[in-house]
Amino acid sequence: MNKNYIQQETITGVVPVLSNERKYSFIDLFLSTSGFAIATWCYTQGAYVAQYLSLKQMIINIFSFNMIWVLISCLPVLFAVRYGIDLWIWLRAILGIRGVAIVATLISLANFGWYAVAANLFSSSMINLFGVFGVELYSNFWKPFLGFLCVFLGTLISLGGPEIIKWTNRFLVVALLIVGVIIVIICFSSVSLNSILSVKPPLSDLSPLERFMISAEGNVAFAFSWSTQALVLPRLAKNERGGYWATTLSYGIIAPFFILSGGIMALAMFVKSGIYESDPTVMLVSLGSPILSLLSLLLVAFANIGTQGTGSYVNCMIIKSGLPKLSYKLLVMISMFYVTVLTVSELVENYFGTFISIAAYIQGPIIGMIVVDYLLVRKRKLSLKSAYFIDGDTKYKFTKGFNLVGIFIILITLIISVLFVYNPITGEIKSSIFLILTGSGFTALFGGILYYILTLTKFKNYLLKDKY
């Protein structure tokens, strides 16, 4: 087999990365993952939470639910580093090769919605930047055009692969950390802390506990949104400890800080103008001094390009895990077209809360199953021979490529959750279970427990063909 082809399929394909081929140190992975995590959708998420909670409640809600679920859901990062593979290769043992192809594609289609949010924020940033200089851009033309430009430039980064992504994020993370601090300074310089603390959430028709848990649902869903993407870059890490902590610190600490910044900014904007606003670029212009606003808008704008590049690479790698024969470059080009359509239509932004919950509902049972399988069932050991079907090994093909039990668990978990716990489409709370676990948290726990129980029954010979 051609040596260049093998090298290409290692970096932009599904071939395991050998230990001597891994180039990401703790700092490299931390910065790349942080650059991915602290995109401006964090500000949108923060503004969403600010609809329901006061500042003190936001701090507790954002950090506790993000940190707890990120620490749990990212445990399989350890196997990603150990074997040099991503989550989706391991999932062949749980869903089957064709099951992975379908589920990975569906989840990536949902994940790409985040990049439409980032592209629209890039548009808003650039339009507001020009506005600072007195140049008014015609929004109906420039907003979709600039959104496409963001997607296009991000696509060029993703085509460059992990090395380009690494160096892009080294600059962006430092810049965005500065922006986060500037935003907090802008908020507390514009309005007093006491006035922010006294704000009553705009959406206060629910009980205090319901408002807290609706916000928690958003934060659990946000944490879950990383999980199926988080195990792609760590395969390039040099050691397991560095891979795990670089990933969890980025998603569990850095990202929540920026979510909180977005929430504070939304509350400050509400105090100053009486208007609830979720677009960070509008809030920066309204709250800050011209120089600080200009600097922040510029950095926020270009951060979204880096996010597009990292996100395109990660999600195209997810799809390639299920459909390995497809060209990485072809997948990147298809994703560019898809994200452009989502950007121009603004469907994700118009239904943001629904979008993040639906995406998490799909991922929840998968997260539950993979954590249980990794820790309790296969006990951190996977047959790579079966995962890659070497020498005719077909154990993970199950029933015509589908692990019917794994697929059943996903479907039954979704049905039970929507009908009896929480409906993410209507926002209706169906059970008090939601007020303890949230809807997304329930899907992960229920899916994981059901999977574990079935591995103890007569189904174990079907589920664990590599062990029995």
Side-chain angles (χ1 to χ4, degrees), residues 89-129:
I89 299 300
W90 189 294
L91 277 171
R92 291 177 178 179
I94 299 175
L95 301 176
I97 181 67
R98 291 184 178 175
V100 166
I102 292 174
V103 176
T105 302
L106 288 175
I107 285 182
S108 292
L109 290 175
N111 286 340
F112 276 123
W114 289 103
Y115 308 102
V117 173
N120 278 317
L121 288 172
F122 173 83
S123 299
S124 299
S125 299
M126 298 306 294
I127 290 171
N128 282 309
L129 268 173

Side-chain angles (χ1 to χ4, degrees), residues 45-108:
Q45 172 74 1
Y48 170 75
V49 174
Q51 297 176 88
Y52 298 98
L53 302 178
S54 66
L55 177 58
K56 291 180 180 178
Q57 292 171 327
M58 273 202 306
I59 294 172
I60 296 170
N61 197 292
I62 289 170
F63 279 98
S64 61
F65 285 99
N66 272 284
M67 288 175 63
I68 290 169
W69 281 108
V70 165
L71 286 169
I72 294 171
S73 62
C74 285
L75 281 172
V77 163
L78 296 170
F79 82 66
V81 179
R82 175 174 297 180
Y83 290 100
I85 62 176
D86 64 50
L87 165 76
W88 296 92
I89 299 300
W90 189 294
L91 277 171
R92 291 177 178 179
I94 299 175
L95 301 176
I97 181 67
R98 291 184 178 175
V100 166
I102 292 174
V103 176
T105 302
L106 288 175
I107 285 182
S108 292

Side-chain angles (χ1 to χ4, degrees), residues 4 111 116 129 369 375 444:
N4 290 332
N111 286 340
L129 268 173
M369 285 192 289
L375 292 177

Side-chain angles (χ1 to χ4, degrees), residues 123-391:
S123 299
S124 299
S125 299
M126 298 306 294
I127 290 171
N128 282 309
L129 268 173
F130 278 93
V132 170
F133 292 102
V135 179
E136 185 176 350
L137 298 180
Y138 181 59
S139 181
N140 287 344
F141 169 78
W142 284 103
K143 188 167 185 180
F145 174 79
L146 290 169
F148 166 73
L149 180 63
C150 177
V151 177
F152 175 74
L153 293 175
T155 299
L156 296 181
I157 292 174
S158 65
L159 289 172
E163 195 66 21
I164 299 298
I165 291 169
K166 179 174 75 175
W167 288 103
T168 300
N169 283 306
R170 280 189 175 183
F171 164 76
L172 285 177
V173 170
V174 175
L176 285 172
L177 286 173
I178 294 171
V179 169
V181 174
I182 290 174
I183 285 173
V184 174
I185 293 172
I186 286 174
C187 291
F188 290 117
S189 300
S190 179
V191 298
S192 69
L193 174 60
N194 287 335
S195 61
I196 292 178
L197 289 171
S198 64
V199 172
K200 292 183 178 180
L203 297 181
S204 56
D205 54 329
L206 301 171
S207 72
L209 180 58
E210 288 175 332
R211 284 190 283 110
F212 190 83
M213 295 310 292
I214 286 285
S215 301
E217 167 64 21
N219 282 309
V220 173
F222 197 75
F224 280 12
S225 70
W226 305 123
S227 301
T228 51
Q229 305 175 69
L231 304 184
V232 174
L233 285 175
R235 66 199 284 266
L236 304 173
K238 293 179 179 179
N239 60 74
E240 294 178 33
R241 179 180 295 180
Y244 177 75
W245 287 113
T247 304
T248 53
L249 289 174
S250 298
Y251 295 136
I253 300 293
I254 302 298
F257 168 75
F258 281 83
I259 296 172
L260 179 62
S261 298
I264 292 172
M265 192 159 50
L267 293 178
M269 183 73 175
F270 190 78
V271 169
K272 187 170 184 178
S273 65
I275 298 172
Y276 175 77
E277 177 60 58
S278 61
D279 188 329
T281 63
V282 174
M283 292 187 279
L284 281 170
V285 171
S286 302
L287 294 171
S289 64
I291 295 177
L292 286 179
S293 297
L294 181 65
L295 174 63
S296 300
L297 281 171
L298 188 62
L299 293 175
V300 164
F302 285 94
N304 289 296
I305 296 173
T307 299
Q308 291 287 337
T310 306
S312 179
Y313 169 75
V314 166
N315 283 284
C316 287
M317 289 290 288
I318 290 174
I319 296 174
K320 195 165 173 62
S321 295
L323 301 167
K325 292 184 179 180
L326 287 182
S327 161
Y328 169 75
K329 291 183 178 180
L330 174 63
L331 288 173
V332 170
M333 299 309 295
I334 293 173
S335 72
M336 181 181 74
F337 174 78
Y338 175 62
V339 175
T340 299
V341 171
L342 292 179
T343 300
V344 173
S345 66
E346 298 186 8
L347 285 173
V348 177
E349 286 189 306
N350 292 336
Y351 302 97
F352 185 73
T354 301
F355 157 69
I356 59 175
S357 284
I358 291 176
Y361 263 40
I362 299 173
Q363 295 172 99
I366 295 173
I367 292 168
M369 285 192 289
I370 192 70
V371 171
V372 166
D373 192 67
Y374 171 65
L375 292 177
L376 302 177
V377 177
R378 287 188 170 79
K379 298 180 179 178
R380 296 176 292 173
K381 294 180 181 179
L382 180 75
S383 169
L384 288 179
K385 184 177 180 181
S386 300
Y388 285 94
F389 312 106
I390 297 171
D391 296 331

